[in-house]
Amino acid sequence: MDKKKGSLLSFRPDIKIVDATIRDGGLVNDFRFSEEFIKDLYEANQRAGVDYMEFGYKASKDIFKEEEFGPWKFCDEDALQKVIGDKNTDMKICVMADVGRCDYRKDIIPRADSVIDLYRIATYINTIPAAIHMVEHCKNLGYEATINIMAVSNAKEAEIDEALELIGNSPVDGIYLVDSYGSLYMEQIEALADKYLAMAEKYDKFVGIHAHNNQQLAFANTIAALTRGVSYLDATASGMGRGAGNCSTEQLLGFLKNPKYDIIPILKFLEKHIEPLKKTGIDWGYNIPYLLTGQMNRHPRSAIAATKDGRKDYLNFFLELNDKD
Amino acid sequence: MDKKKGSLLSFRPDIKIVDATIRDGGLVNDFRFSEEFIKDLYEANQRAGVDYMEFGYKASKDIFKEEEFGPWKFCDEDALQKVIGDKNTDMKICVMADVGRCDYRKDIIPRADSVIDLYRIATYINTIPAAIHMVEHCKNLGYEATINIMAVSNAKEAEIDEALELIGNSPVDGIYLVDSYGSLYMEQIEALADKYLAMAEKYDKFVGIHAHNNQQLAFANTIAALTRGVSYLDATASGMGRGAGNCSTEQLLGFLKNPKYDIIPILKFLEKHIEPLKKTGIDWGYNIPYLLTGQMNRHPRSAIAATKDGRKDYLNFFLELNDKD
């Protein structure tokens, strides 16, 4: 059964690029970006044809202290408006809200009073009902909404099926396939994409992909998913994101054939902001500890710690990972 | 038509790992490896279950000056024997010979007098008849032989078909799909693999894959090829190889399920030799200039120069590449 969607020379108008640099990249530097970085990225994304730009999290100020993070941990409306102004653009704005870490009833205001278009609700598979509650809240306020099921590589088939059915019956617009640990191979991504897409088709939703680069498969897995019909593609400038990072915007822009996409503004942004940021010691991207947690389908936290400590004793690290079983 | 070979949990006994660290990595440091590096890699590969180890090139000493390169540009028999000794191992030894750059009639001696098992004949598509001559010479002397068609991303379909038919009728043992520019996507690798495999089945040959990492697709393309039935998989320690480098041995060992494979000796080797080598300034691996030459299906030479010069003016580099048309 050949279910390939699209070809290498044509383009699919349903494809959307979602820039998640501030949100996933913010996990690397506690959301402390300069104002110029944010403004230039906002400008570059528009010029590059990016469809959605994610600014960060809508995190609870009861749980997280404001002084410990930059503003994009909370995405207050006035911080957003300072960058976006009158919002004279086709590019949509999104923000992530984690189940259990967001005072959504208080902090998410009606869309008419906000510059935000889409809320992405991040959940583990065991908190889907809470995620659906949040989606209902957001939809009632006029927003688009997605559910992003994290760490799906650790979920059982039957759980995924049940979760998808629950989500299908919710008012959500889209559902995200998330490879949190960067552990999945293309064959697994394709099988999961087919499963998500079957639900999506039945209930008239779309499917997105958020890949991590632990095994240097983030771009490959994104291509694999879109080839099956997944249409919302997460990417970040230079792959900036937690641990091994993400599929990079510049990789994706070189692959997609929609003439509205343009790599040049992103190359300029990399020159001006990413290279200097890396020089300050902010660090992400593929290395051996990330490869090993990816291969073993583990949370990257031990690899993040090993990277921070500059550990190069790969064998010990590998043995420690094995010991944790 | 589902032509998938194998599954994620089982293993295919026809799969062989070919370590090309010295040969492709030698292009980065002019083949100047320490004796300890070579000996430890030889040992590590054996322990890791690697099937073939490529030591370098059989290059003409009329064309290349011996004083400008380390010994693995020439792979003299006594240099090899110093490492290999009595060859008390199942791991086979291979060497690459380029069409037009090898005095094969003089320098390739009978297999009975050599520690080499396999000659890999590297050719562009327009010198296939010369490559077949070299294969006949090697086969007559008792060696295994492959033909590695380089830069296939620049060849036309009809040329490839004709080349494969010529090669099929030669005494060669295997034929290699080589993505010299790191420009091919999995879909293209799969289509080429199917083409190569159809010839291979008809004439009883095997097919190998040699991928480059310009777009961070070397591992993904290697998986894509093996999933179609390609069985000889090139890899290098830490991906060491020209420009953006190759599929890494440690990635591949994490994926393959044959119990004979073991990642531990390679992790030890990376610790002891690759990290110190990188510290000396020897540089390879993915970066933005390599991504751009890959996207545009160009020889990586301009990206190698840009990397050497530490260029971060990505936009200018991109515009220069476009100007070369």
Side-chain angles (χ1 to χ4, degrees), chain A residues 119-134:
Chain A
Y119 272 95
R120 311 212 296 171
I121 310 300
T123 177
Y124 291 102
I125 199 130
N126 60 330
T127 52
I128 296 283
I132 291 174
H133 253 262
M134 290 171 73

Side-chain angles (χ1 to χ4, degrees), chain B residues 180-198:
Chain B
S180 302
Y181 301 165
S183 67
L184 296 173
Y185 297 104
M186 289 87 77
E187 193 171 330
Q188 296 168 300
I189 289 285
E190 285 165 359
L192 284 167
D194 287 351
K195 195 188 267 295
Y196 282 45
L197 285 161

Side-chain angles (χ1 to χ4, degrees), chain A residues 1 4 7-8 185-188 213 215-217 219-220 223-224 227 248 250-251 254-255 263-264 267-268 270-271 275 286 288 291-292 295 312-316 318-319, chain B residues 1 4 7-8 185-188 213 215-217 219-220 223-224 227 248 250-251 254-255 263-264 267-268 270-271 275 286 288 291-292 295 312-316 318-319:
Chain A
M1 180 176 52
K4 195 169 81 67
S7 73
L8 282 174
Y185 297 104
M186 290 87 78
E187 193 172 330
Q188 296 168 300
N213 207 32
Q215 300 202 71
Q216 288 197 337
L217 293 176
F219 181 37
I223 294 174
T227 304
S248 79
E250 59 273 19
Q251 285 174 307
F255 178 80
I263 197 172
I264 286 179
L267 294 177
K268 286 169 79 170
L270 299 180
E271 271 182 50
E275 292 302 332
Y286 174 84
I288 300 291
L291 173 67
L292 295 174
Q295 283 178 354
K312 307 281 181 191
D313 57 328
Y314 302 136
L315 178 57
N316 283 340
F318 176 77
L319 297 174
Chain B
M1 179 177 54
K4 195 169 80 69
S7 73
L8 283 173
Y185 297 104
M186 289 87 77
E187 193 171 330
Q188 296 168 300
N213 207 33
Q215 300 203 69
Q216 288 196 336
L217 293 176
F219 181 37
I223 294 174
T227 304
S248 80
E250 59 274 18
Q251 285 174 306
F255 178 79
I263 197 172
I264 287 179
L267 294 177
K268 287 170 78 169
L270 298 180
E271 270 182 49
E275 292 302 331
Y286 173 85
I288 300 292
L291 173 67
L292 294 174
Q295 282 178 354
K312 307 281 181 191
D313 57 329
Y314 302 137
L315 178 58
N316 283 339
F318 176 77
L319 297 174

